[in-house]
PDB file of all heavy atoms in Angstrom:
ATOM      1  N   LEU A  25      -8.213  -0.819  -0.431  1.00 96.00           N
ATOM      2  CA  LEU A  25      -6.797  -0.952  -0.919  1.00 96.00           C
ATOM      3  C   LEU A  25      -6.462   0.159  -2.003  1.00 96.00           C
ATOM      4  O   LEU A  25      -5.322   0.588  -2.085  1.00 96.00           O
ATOM      5  CB  LEU A  25      -6.529  -2.323  -1.492  1.00 96.00           C
ATOM      6  CG  LEU A  25      -6.632  -3.478  -0.571  1.00 96.00           C
ATOM      7  CD1 LEU A  25      -6.465  -4.822  -1.234  1.00 96.00           C
ATOM      8  CD2 LEU A  25      -5.595  -3.317   0.663  1.00 96.00           C
ATOM      9  N   ALA A  26      -7.470   0.612  -2.753  1.00 97.00           N
ATOM     10  CA  ALA A  26      -7.218   1.588  -3.736  1.00 97.00           C
ATOM     11  C   ALA A  26      -7.004   2.945  -3.121  1.00 97.00           C
ATOM     12  O   ALA A  26      -6.490   3.889  -3.785  1.00 97.00           O
ATOM     13  CB  ALA A  26      -8.406   1.658  -4.683  1.00 97.00           C
ATOM     14  N   VAL A  27      -7.340   3.105  -1.858  1.00 98.00           N
ATOM     15  CA  VAL A  27      -7.043   4.350  -1.109  1.00 98.00           C
ATOM     16  C   VAL A  27      -5.580   4.507  -0.880  1.00 98.00           C
ATOM     17  O   VAL A  27      -5.011   5.591  -0.788  1.00 98.00           O
ATOM     18  CB  VAL A  27      -7.887   4.484   0.170  1.00 98.00           C
ATOM     19  CG1 VAL A  27      -7.488   5.724   0.981  1.00 98.00           C
ATOM     20  CG2 VAL A  27      -9.390   4.585  -0.156  1.00 98.00           C
ATOM     21  N   LEU A  28      -4.904   3.367  -0.701  1.00 98.00           N
ATOM     22  CA  LEU A  28      -3.491   3.396  -0.318  1.00 98.00           C
ATOM     23  C   LEU A  28      -2.616   4.166  -1.289  1.00 98.00           C
ATOM     24  O   LEU A  28      -1.804   4.948  -0.797  1.00 98.00           O
ATOM     25  CB  LEU A  28      -2.983   1.939  -0.154  1.00 98.00           C
ATOM     26  CG  LEU A  28      -3.625   1.075   0.891  1.00 98.00           C
ATOM     27  CD1 LEU A  28      -3.053  -0.358   0.769  1.00 98.00           C
ATOM     28  CD2 LEU A  28      -3.353   1.601   2.290  1.00 98.00           C
ATOM     29  N   ARG A  29      -2.695   3.840  -2.553  1.00 97.00           N
ATOM     30  CA  ARG A  29      -1.774   4.361  -3.520  1.00 97.00           C
ATOM     31  C   ARG A  29      -1.770   5.899  -3.605  1.00 97.00           C
ATOM     32  O   ARG A  29      -0.671   6.493  -3.528  1.00 97.00           O
ATOM     33  CB  ARG A  29      -2.080   3.766  -4.911  1.00 97.00           C
ATOM     34  CG  ARG A  29      -1.035   4.183  -5.926  1.00 97.00           C
ATOM     35  CD  ARG A  29      -0.786   3.191  -7.051  1.00 97.00           C
ATOM     36  NE  ARG A  29      -1.900   2.546  -7.559  1.00 97.00           N
ATOM     37  CZ  ARG A  29      -1.885   1.791  -8.715  1.00 97.00           C
ATOM     38  NH1 ARG A  29      -0.712   1.661  -9.374  1.00 97.00           N
ATOM     39  NH2 ARG A  29      -2.879   1.122  -9.128  1.00 97.00           N
ATOM     40  N   PRO A  30      -2.877   6.570  -3.706  1.00 98.00           N
ATOM     41  CA  PRO A  30      -2.777   8.007  -3.820  1.00 98.00           C
ATOM     42  C   PRO A  30      -2.365   8.700  -2.489  1.00 98.00           C
ATOM     43  O   PRO A  30      -1.684   9.751  -2.488  1.00 98.00           O
ATOM     44  CB  PRO A  30      -4.285   8.489  -4.219  1.00 98.00           C
ATOM     45  CG  PRO A  30      -5.080   7.339  -3.787  1.00 98.00           C
ATOM     46  CD  PRO A  30      -4.274   6.131  -3.968  1.00 98.00           C
ATOM     47  N   VAL A  31      -2.754   8.076  -1.297  1.00 98.00           N
ATOM     48  CA  VAL A  31      -2.231   8.661  -0.023  1.00 98.00           C
ATOM     49  C   VAL A  31      -0.749   8.512   0.070  1.00 98.00           C
ATOM     50  O   VAL A  31      -0.023   9.386   0.520  1.00 98.00           O
ATOM     51  CB  VAL A  31      -3.015   8.014   1.112  1.00 98.00           C
ATOM     52  CG1 VAL A  31      -2.444   8.583   2.473  1.00 98.00           C
ATOM     53  CG2 VAL A  31      -4.476   8.317   1.125  1.00 98.00           C
ATOM     54  N   GLN A  32      -0.233   7.325  -0.290  1.00 98.00           N
ATOM     55  CA  GLN A  32       1.192   7.113  -0.302  1.00 98.00           C
ATOM     56  C   GLN A  32       1.910   8.104  -1.225  1.00 98.00           C
ATOM     57  O   GLN A  32       2.960   8.636  -0.849  1.00 98.00           O
ATOM     58  CB  GLN A  32       1.489   5.707  -0.747  1.00 98.00           C
ATOM     59  CG  GLN A  32       1.099   4.616   0.272  1.00 98.00           C
ATOM     60  CD  GLN A  32       1.218   3.182  -0.316  1.00 98.00           C
ATOM     61  OE1 GLN A  32       1.212   3.041  -1.539  1.00 98.00           O
ATOM     62  NE2 GLN A  32       1.383   2.239   0.549  1.00 98.00           N
ATOM     63  N   ARG A  33       1.351   8.313  -2.386  1.00 98.00           N
ATOM     64  CA  ARG A  33       1.903   9.226  -3.366  1.00 98.00           C
ATOM     65  C   ARG A  33       1.924  10.631  -2.799  1.00 98.00           C
ATOM     66  O   ARG A  33       2.983  11.420  -2.902  1.00 98.00           O
ATOM     67  CB  ARG A  33       1.168   9.178  -4.630  1.00 98.00           C
ATOM     68  CG  ARG A  33       1.834   9.972  -5.828  1.00 98.00           C
ATOM     69  CD  ARG A  33       1.317   9.510  -7.143  1.00 98.00           C
ATOM     70  NE  ARG A  33      -0.117   9.809  -7.321  1.00 98.00           N
ATOM     71  CZ  ARG A  33      -1.116   8.979  -7.448  1.00 98.00           C
ATOM     72  NH1 ARG A  33      -0.832   7.667  -7.366  1.00 98.00           N
ATOM     73  NH2 ARG A  33      -2.339   9.331  -7.597  1.00 98.00           N
ATOM     74  N   HIS A  34       0.799  11.040  -2.174  1.00 98.00           N
ATOM     75  CA  HIS A  34       0.759  12.418  -1.571  1.00 98.00           C
ATOM     76  C   HIS A  34       1.827  12.594  -0.466  1.00 98.00           C
ATOM     77  O   HIS A  34       2.465  13.655  -0.393  1.00 98.00           O
ATOM     78  CB  HIS A  34      -0.647  12.624  -0.969  1.00 98.00           C
ATOM     79  CG  HIS A  34      -0.923  13.987  -0.506  1.00 98.00           C
ATOM     80  ND1 HIS A  34      -0.636  14.351   0.797  1.00 98.00           N
ATOM     81  CD2 HIS A  34      -1.371  15.103  -1.141  1.00 98.00           C
ATOM     82  CE1 HIS A  34      -1.045  15.635   0.976  1.00 98.00           C
ATOM     83  NE2 HIS A  34      -1.418  16.106  -0.177  1.00 98.00           N
ATOM     84  N   ARG A  35       2.041  11.543   0.344  1.00 98.00           N
ATOM     85  CA  ARG A  35       3.026  11.580   1.394  1.00 98.00           C
ATOM     86  C   ARG A  35       4.451  11.835   0.778  1.00 98.00           C
ATOM     87  O   ARG A  35       5.164  12.704   1.304  1.00 98.00           O
ATOM     88  CB  ARG A  35       3.054  10.265   2.141  1.00 98.00           C
ATOM     89  CG  ARG A  35       4.157  10.110   3.172  1.00 98.00           C
ATOM     90  CD  ARG A  35       4.059   8.790   3.916  1.00 98.00           C
ATOM     91  NE  ARG A  35       4.120   7.665   3.023  1.00 98.00           N
ATOM     92  CZ  ARG A  35       3.752   6.425   3.434  1.00 98.00           C
ATOM     93  NH1 ARG A  35       3.376   6.184   4.633  1.00 98.00           N
ATOM     94  NH2 ARG A  35       3.839   5.442   2.543  1.00 98.00           N
ATOM     95  N   ALA A  36       4.766  11.159  -0.302  1.00 98.00           N
ATOM     96  CA  ALA A  36       6.084  11.353  -0.918  1.00 98.00           C
ATOM     97  C   ALA A  36       6.184  12.713  -1.541  1.00 98.00           C
ATOM     98  O   ALA A  36       7.231  13.437  -1.460  1.00 98.00           O
ATOM     99  CB  ALA A  36       6.343  10.255  -1.930  1.00 98.00           C
ATOM    100  N   LEU A  37       5.172  13.217  -2.158  1.00 97.00           N
ATOM    101  CA  LEU A  37       5.169  14.579  -2.790  1.00 97.00           C
ATOM    102  C   LEU A  37       5.334  15.631  -1.757  1.00 97.00           C
ATOM    103  O   LEU A  37       6.070  16.617  -1.973  1.00 97.00           O
ATOM    104  CB  LEU A  37       3.878  14.842  -3.599  1.00 97.00           C
ATOM    105  CG  LEU A  37       3.600  13.857  -4.840  1.00 97.00           C
ATOM    106  CD1 LEU A  37       2.191  14.059  -5.382  1.00 97.00           C
ATOM    107  CD2 LEU A  37       4.667  14.192  -5.865  1.00 97.00           C
ATOM    108  N   CYS A  38       4.630  15.472  -0.582  1.00 96.00           N
ATOM    109  CA  CYS A  38       4.892  16.482   0.471  1.00 96.00           C
ATOM    110  C   CYS A  38       6.326  16.489   0.974  1.00 96.00           C
ATOM    111  O   CYS A  38       6.910  17.509   1.188  1.00 96.00           O
ATOM    112  CB  CYS A  38       3.966  16.153   1.616  1.00 96.00           C
ATOM    113  SG  CYS A  38       2.232  16.480   1.354  1.00 96.00           S
TER     114      CYS A  38
END
Side-chain angles (χ1 to χ4, degrees):
L25 295 177
V27 173
L28 296 175
R29 183 152 39 171
V31 176
Q32 290 171 335
R33 190 163 64 245
H34 187 269
R35 175 178 56 194
L37 294 171
C38 289

